[in-house]
Amino acid sequence: MSETDGADAFGALKIIRIGNSLGVVLPREIIADLNVEKGDRLYLTRSPEGYRITKSDPDFEKRVALARRIMSKRHNALRELTK
């Protein structure tokens, strides 16, 4: 098995200067896979393997999962509230 354990490797990303900040340029393939365009936000989170870039807000995903657990646990009370 390869060093990347079967994951697609896109090579190294070069850090460039953008005004007073630093940034990286993502290859076209990654932009297409993420389905993003100029002005969209990407989220960088730590993972056991290093870092993860995603289009979805990880905090929002956590809040939705919590809401689903509450709705599942308290479905009778929520049903009464809708009456």
Side-chain angles (χ1 to χ4, degrees):
M1 187 160 275
S2 73
E3 191 174 347
T4 60
D5 291 331
D8 291 339
F10 290 98
L13 300 176
K14 185 176 180 180
I15 298 174
I16 61 170
R17 180 162 301 282
I18 304 171
N20 290 332
S21 301
L22 298 177
V24 295
V25 176
L26 298 175
R28 255 184 251 141
E29 296 87 6
I30 294 174
I31 298 294
D33 286 347
L34 289 170
N35 191 27
V36 294
E37 55 188 44
K38 182 180 176 183
D40 288 348
R41 290 183 183 271
L42 294 176
Y43 297 89
L44 182 68
T45 55
R46 289 183 193 259
S47 73
E49 297 81 27
Y51 287 92
R52 181 177 166 226
I53 295 177
T54 182
K55 184 177 178 179
S56 59
D57 181 352
D59 290 333
F60 178 76
E61 291 175 9
K62 290 176 189 175
R63 290 191 300 268
V64 168
L66 176 61
R68 285 187 177 138
R69 283 197 305 271
I70 291 169
M71 288 186 289
S72 174
K73 187 175 181 179
R74 305 286 187 206
H75 67 278
N76 290 334
L78 292 170
R79 189 174 325 147
E80 288 298 315
L81 288 170
T82 62
K83 290 181 180 180

